[in-house]
Amino acid sequence: MAFFDFPLEKLQTYIPSNREPKDFDAFWKRTLQESATKPIAAKFTRVDQSVYELVDVYDVTFNGYRGQPVKGWFIEPRWTAGCAKRPCLVTYIGYGGGRSLPIDHVATATAGIANFVMDTRGQGSTWAPGDTADDAGSDPQYPGFMTRGIRSPETYYFRRVFTDAARAVQAAASHPHVDRERIGVTGGSQGGGIAIAAAALAGKAAKIAMPDVPFLCDYRRATTIVDTAPYSEITSFLKTHRGQSQQIYNTLDYFDGVNFAPRITARCLFSIALMDTVCPPSTCFGAFNRIKAKKEVRVYDFNNHEGGGPVHFVERLKFARKYL
């Protein structure tokens, strides 16, 4: 893949057109308040430790959107009496994947940081198994999750996911071994887009945010410069449902990382790949450039959606150890 988006010099200053809904803050305040009537009630159940000698692993269930149960994992370095409370990262999963098995998430704990992994409702049958239902009906949709309930922000799928994500921060903070003043959010692709929303919605409860090659940013541009999935789910829906583009994009504006970005107070570390045909670099920079908090970006010139891979995973751990 050759370079196909703006040159780096333009990417570094690119600001998308302002499409922020006038009631953006009111919509999200009301959404979170509706779910706040239900306690987080996070339950941590220790799992079989026979293969985990150096970490403690817990199966997690907490109340997400409107009290609907969300699964997860909590993995921490082996706890001993008298230990100080630990920093914690809340990790969100890439598109189509679920929480998988704990063994997939132990690396963060090797850096002395607890890892709270949130399952993504309704997903988990593509490349990693999941265990959380999406308890909602839906209008017709294109296969996948991008158009589920998309005719209205009230019913859109990511309203539920982003609320789950914000409440996952609270669930992580409720564990007795976690220092609630040292919690960050992270994830790649869809997980990166969720991390952007979670950082904005959780406010000061998230001290750092580390989105990698983030999805769910600058939908209007993304859907017109690439034809790759998952953004292609939106264009395929519009191809069939002719004449509804304005309504659909108006919904998506409530869920765009570009609009969440200025509301983030956490210190940020982004990764962006310049040959990324899944999450085009301009869409990622569109969110990054709108962040007002302290921020850094790692650019991977010749990478597609794999971004920095294990090299950037190490960068994330260094950043988390420095600022958590």
Side-chain angles (χ1 to χ4, degrees), residues 2-295:
F3 296 120
F4 69 97
D5 208 337
F6 298 140
L8 182 57
E9 295 76 14
K10 185 171 182 178
L11 290 170
Q12 291 170 331
T13 59
Y14 169 65
I15 302 291
S17 299
N18 186 4
R19 302 275 187 171
E20 184 179 298
K22 292 182 179 179
D23 65 339
F24 183 90
D25 289 317
F27 171 81
W28 281 108
K29 181 178 180 180
R30 174 170 55 83
T31 296
L32 294 179
Q33 286 177 339
E34 288 173 359
S35 291
T37 61
K38 304 291 185 179
I40 297 293
K43 297 179 181 178
F44 299 85
T45 304
R46 197 169 181 183
V47 306
D48 177 12
Q49 293 290 132
S50 59
V51 298
Y52 301 110
E53 182 176 349
L54 302 179
V55 297
D56 292 327
V57 180
Y58 298 82
D59 179 276
V60 180
T61 305
F62 69 95
N63 291 331
Y65 176 79
R66 293 187 175 179
Q68 295 167 8
V70 178
K71 297 296 292 183
W73 299 116
F74 179 79
I75 304 165
E76 63 171 341
R78 178 59 51 86
W79 185 263
T80 55
C83 266
K85 291 189 175 184
R86 304 189 192 280
C88 180
L89 286 175
V90 180
T91 301
Y92 308 109
I93 306 299
Y95 193 72
R99 65 173 180 162
S100 190
L101 302 179
I103 196 67
D104 285 339
H105 306 289
V106 299
T108 297
T110 66
I113 301 168
N115 192 12
F116 185 105
V117 182
M118 187 190 87
D119 203 17
T120 309
R121 59 170 57 231
Q123 299 188 33
S125 295
T126 303
W127 55 271
D131 298 292
T132 302
D134 180 27
D135 188 10
S138 177
D139 286 339
Q141 67 181 75
Y142 188 83
F145 303 93
M146 295 304 296
T147 62
R148 182 174 292 184
I150 200 171
R151 287 193 172 111
S152 167
E154 300 291 331
T155 57
Y156 190 43
Y157 170 74
F158 281 100
R159 184 187 191 208
R160 302 186 290 281
V161 173
F162 289 174
T163 303
D164 293 344
R167 288 172 67 83
V169 174
Q170 299 176 52
S174 73
H175 193 283
H177 299 169
V178 170
D179 183 345
R180 62 176 54 244
E181 301 298 321
R182 295 191 291 162
I183 296 177
V185 295
T186 191
S189 192
Q190 175 187 252
I194 296 172
I196 291 171
L201 296 175
K204 293 182 178 180
K207 186 174 181 181
I208 65 172
M210 300 185 294
D212 291 343
V213 290
F215 184 43
L216 310 173
C217 297
D218 204 357
Y219 294 91
R220 293 172 186 259
R221 178 167 173 78
T223 52
T224 58
I225 67 169
V226 294
D227 58 5
T228 49
Y231 282 121
S232 62
E233 293 176 22
I234 298 170
T235 53
S236 295
F237 179 91
L238 292 175
K239 181 178 180 179
T240 302
H241 298 276
R242 297 170 175 85
Q244 296 184 23
S245 59
Q246 192 58 53
Q247 177 185 2
I248 298 313
Y249 282 120
N250 285 346
T251 291
L252 292 171
D253 288 340
Y254 287 89
F255 304 92
D256 197 323
V258 167
N259 294 330
F260 282 112
R263 293 165 169 81
I264 293 174
T265 59
R267 182 185 289 265
C268 294
L269 173 67
F270 272 56
S271 73
I272 301 174
L274 297 190
M275 291 186 174
D276 191 342
T277 56
V278 177
C279 297
S282 58
T283 66
C284 304
F285 269 104
F288 178 79
N289 291 339
R290 292 203 72 205
I291 291 173
K292 300 174 183 177
K294 294 180 179 179
K295 59 187 178 182

